[in-house]
């Protein structure tokens, strides 16, 4: 039987099509930076895009359902072969999936001149095809425990479909059901998958450094309870985001996930950014739940749009950046350690999140803070594309990553 490595080596086409993470992580980084640059130009009035979405809804959609769809695809196409023991998708089938993702981005960008149904179908094509392919692989490999990931992918795609439906009706989709369903699915993905990989990666790294406290093994009884509480709170938030009961449920879920994170020995990981960034990214899950919950329980000081970015840009943005950098290093034969450039893009993203949050309480400085947030975001994902793009485009790993 052909092994994964043998199939990758047998591919004679472009290196970027030799493994699933390569085209999708590179495309995700470029798109995240590009969308933010276009958004900043739109805010200044220097640019008007031919999209059928209002500007804020286009901005929200293209991060949540554009950028994150690419990262999810790259992660699943790389992880599922490891989960199932089956061969990865490489070559032209992989190129076809990447082309479907790009088709969706172009369709939404020029949607003012296309029927809403056609735009939705083109945008949903990639996640639907990806889900079908991954279902085939998981069933063939009898890897039943990971069917939950496909369920979350299906909910994510459902959110995208609802977003298109709301936008076509003329609703403000940036604050609609579709966005909340999609974001809830992403937060659960981070909670479930992060709850597996963060304690595992942390334990492996700490074990090499000698004796000391190690993370609690993943998926203990407390973890399952915390996940159920978060699932319930997210369901309430989707249905009634401003309800008092929703606020209380989110606060309880946030406290439980803060306790869950504390059990993973993140305080011992300061010497390796590739490890501590995972803990920092996960911290935005409870922070977002607490902040959104408190906004719902009171008049709030930040505003719901600002605190929502703790999940969208903080948890989702930083966790995906952390996973993309780690996976790229590992699958291109580099040492699993972060250099100065990698640390810089992590910190730039944190600055982006904090600046956007501060804009909610400093209205007089909101323009400057929005600009700072956008610039830091572009620096983070543009920096990722510059530092890690060459690795995804080369077949054989080089000995070093310049300035990474």
């Amino acid at each position: 039987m052909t092994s994964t490595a043998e199939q990758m080596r047998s591919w004679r086409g472009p290196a970027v099509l030799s493994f699933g993470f390569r085209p999708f992580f590179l495309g995700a980084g470029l798109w995240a930076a590009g969308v933010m640059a276009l958004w900043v130009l739109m805010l200044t009035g220097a640019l008007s895009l031919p999209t059928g979405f209002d500007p804020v809804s286009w901005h929200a959609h293209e991060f949540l359902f554009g950028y994150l769809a690419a990262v999810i695809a790259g992660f699943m196409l790389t992880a599922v072969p490891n989960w199932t023991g089956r061969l990865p998708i490489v070559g032209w089938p992989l190129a076809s999936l990447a082309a479907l993702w790009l088709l969706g981005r172009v369709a939404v960008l020029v949607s003012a001149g296309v029927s809403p149904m056609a735009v939705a179908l083109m945008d949903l094509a990639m996640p639907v095809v990806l889900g079908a392919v991954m279902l085939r692989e998981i069933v063939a490999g009898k890897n039943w425990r990971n069917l939950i990931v496909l369920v979350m992918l299906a909910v994510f795609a459902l959110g995208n479909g609802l977003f298109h439906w709301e936008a076509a009706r003329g609703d403000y989709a940036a604050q609609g059901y579709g966005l909340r369903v999609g974001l809830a699915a992403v937060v659960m993905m981070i909670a479930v998958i992060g709850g597996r990989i963060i304690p595992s990666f942390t334990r492996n790294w700490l074990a090499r450094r000698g004796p000391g406290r190690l993370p609690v093994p993943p998926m203990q009884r407390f973890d399952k309870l915390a996940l159920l509480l978060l699932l319930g709170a997210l369901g309430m938030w989707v249905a009634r985001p401003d309800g008092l009961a929703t606020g209380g449920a989110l606060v309880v879920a946030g406290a439980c996930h803060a306790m869950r994170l504390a059990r993973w020995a993140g305080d011992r990981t300061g010497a390796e950014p590739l490890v501590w960034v995972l803990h920092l990214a996960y911290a935005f899950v409870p922070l977002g739940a607490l902040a959104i919950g408190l906004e719902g329980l009171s008049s709030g000081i930040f505003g719901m749009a600002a605190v929502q970015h703790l999940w969208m840009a903080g948890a989702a943005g930083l966790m995906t950046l952390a996973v993309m950098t780690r996976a790229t290093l590992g699958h291109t034969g580099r040492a699993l350690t972060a250099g100065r450039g990698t640390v810089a893009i992590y910190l730039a993203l944190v600055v982006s999140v904090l600046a956007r949050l501060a804009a909610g309480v400093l209205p007089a400085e909101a323009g400057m803070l929005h600009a700072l947030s956008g610039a830091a975001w572009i620096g983070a994902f543009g920096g990722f594309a510059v530092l890690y793009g060459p690795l995804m485009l080369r077949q054989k790993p080089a000995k070093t990553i310049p300035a990474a």
Side-chain angles (χ1 to χ4, degrees), residues 16-79:
V16 73
L17 299 178
S18 65
F19 214 158
F21 74 93
R22 291 176 180 264
F24 281 106
F25 285 0
L26 179 57
L30 291 171
W31 190 247
V35 164
M36 184 59 75
L38 292 175
W39 171 240
V40 171
L41 291 174
M42 291 169 70
L43 284 178
T44 62
L47 179 68
S48 178
L49 296 178
T51 178
F53 294 2
D54 66 83
V56 177
S57 294
W58 176 82
H59 165 71
H61 182 275
E62 286 309 290
F63 171 66
L64 183 59
F65 298 112
Y67 163 76
L68 286 177
V71 179
I72 291 169
F75 174 81
M76 294 185 69
L77 289 167
T78 304

Side-chain angles (χ1 to χ4, degrees), residues 281-292:
Y282 194 92
F284 283 108
V285 171
L287 284 174
L290 290 167
I292 294 172

